[in-house]
C-alpha cells in the first residue's frame, strides 16, 4: 500500500475538482508527512497547474491546463477507489507564502512553463484572478470551448 496525495482545488471560474499530486512532487510531500505536524501547509492555498480536460489515449495533444488554488490536501492509499481514476496535477506549483508576496509576472512566468499559447493565456488569467480578483470571461470561454473539444476527441478515441 503506497501513499499518494489528493488535492482538492478550485478553478478561477468556480468549479472544484480533485486531483492526485504529480509523481515528482510526492516524495517531498511524503517527507513532510513523515517529519512535520503541519505537513499540508506547503500545499494549502498554493497555486498549481492542473489539466482541465482528459488526456487523449495516444497522448499526442496535451489537454487544456489551468492554474487552480489548492483548498486542501490529504494523504491516501493509492488503492482507495475514490482516487484510482483521478488525473494528476502538473509539477508546477507555487506555495501560498511565495505567490502571495511576489509579483504577478513572476508567478505567471513560472507557471506558464512551455504550454501552448492558449493555455498560457488561461494561466495568466488565473494568476490575475488569484492575485486580485480580475475576471476574464473571454479567456474562460475559450478554455471551456477547448475543454469541450478535447472531451469530444477523447470520447471518439475511446469508441
Amino acid at each position: 500500500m503506497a501513499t499518494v496525495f489528493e488535492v482538492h482545488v478550485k478553478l478561477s471560474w468556480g468549479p472544484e475538482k480533485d486531483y492526485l499530486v504529480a509523481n515528482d512532487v510526492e516524495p517531498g510531500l511524503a517527507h513532510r508527512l513523515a517529519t512535520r505536524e503541519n505537513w499540508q501547509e506547503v500545499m494549502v492555498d498554493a497555486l498549481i497547474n492542473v489539466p482541465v480536460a482528459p488526456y487523449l489515449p495516444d497522448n499526442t495533444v496535451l489537454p487544456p491546463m489551468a492554474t487552480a488554488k489548492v483548498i486542501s490536501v490529504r494523504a491516501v492509499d493509492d488503492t482507495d477507489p475514490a482516487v484510482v481514476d483521478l488525473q494528476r496535477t502538473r509539477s508546477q506549483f507555487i506555495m501560498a507564502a511565495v505567490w502571495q508576496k511576489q509579483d504577478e509576472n513572476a508567478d505567471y512566468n513560472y507557471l506558464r512553463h512551455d504550454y501552448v499559447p492558449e493555455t498560457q493565456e488561461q494561466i495568466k488569467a488565473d494568476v490575475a484572478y488569484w492575485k486580485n480578483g480580475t475576471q476574464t470571461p473571454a479567456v474562460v470561454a475559450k478554455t471551456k470551448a477547448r475543454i469541450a473539444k478535447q472531451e469530444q476527441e477523447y470520447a471518439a478515441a475511446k469508441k
Side-chain angles (χ1 to χ4, degrees):
M1 136 169 112
T3 299
V4 294
F5 297 90
E6 177 190 37
V7 288
H8 183 73
V9 304
K10 182 171 181 148
L11 298 170
S12 67
W13 60 90
E16 295 185 12
K17 295 180 77 172
D18 295 324
Y19 292 89
L20 292 179
V21 170
N23 288 327
D24 57 343
V25 176
E26 283 184 341
L29 284 177
H31 176 73
R32 291 182 71 86
L33 176 64
T35 62
R36 298 181 186 206
E37 187 174 324
N38 294 325
W39 65 273
Q40 302 99 328
E41 69 188 355
V42 71
M43 293 302 292
V44 173
D45 291 331
L47 297 184
I48 193 163
N49 287 345
V50 296
V52 288
Y55 286 84
L56 298 179
D58 63 7
N59 284 320
T60 57
V61 178
L62 200 59
M65 299 284 164
T67 299
K69 186 175 180 183
V70 176
I71 305 299
S72 63
V73 59
R74 67 185 186 114
V76 295
D77 184 304
D78 67 350
T79 61
D80 182 335
V83 301
V84 169
D85 293 326
L86 292 179
Q87 286 185 295
R88 289 205 176 255
T89 68
R90 301 299 287 186
S91 299
Q92 301 83 27
F93 78 95
I94 305 176
M95 293 172 39
V98 175
W99 75 262
Q100 292 172 350
K101 292 179 184 166
Q102 73 184 7
D103 177 76
E104 186 173 321
N105 286 328
D107 294 334
Y108 166 69
N109 283 333
Y110 175 71
L111 292 166
R112 72 183 172 112
H113 193 48
D114 59 355
Y115 296 117
V116 297
E118 297 85 2
T119 285
Q120 289 184 1
E121 183 180 30
Q122 182 60 58
I123 290 169
K124 186 170 191 157
D126 291 336
V127 169
Y129 176 80
W130 298 119
K131 291 291 269 193
N132 55 42
T134 302
Q135 300 282 338
T136 53
V139 174
V140 171
K142 279 195 237 177
T143 297
K144 286 180 177 180
R146 292 176 61 224
I147 292 167
K149 182 177 185 261
Q150 186 86 354
E151 288 173 342
Q152 287 175 342
E153 290 178 18
Y154 179 79
K158 293 301 259 185
K159 288 184 180 183

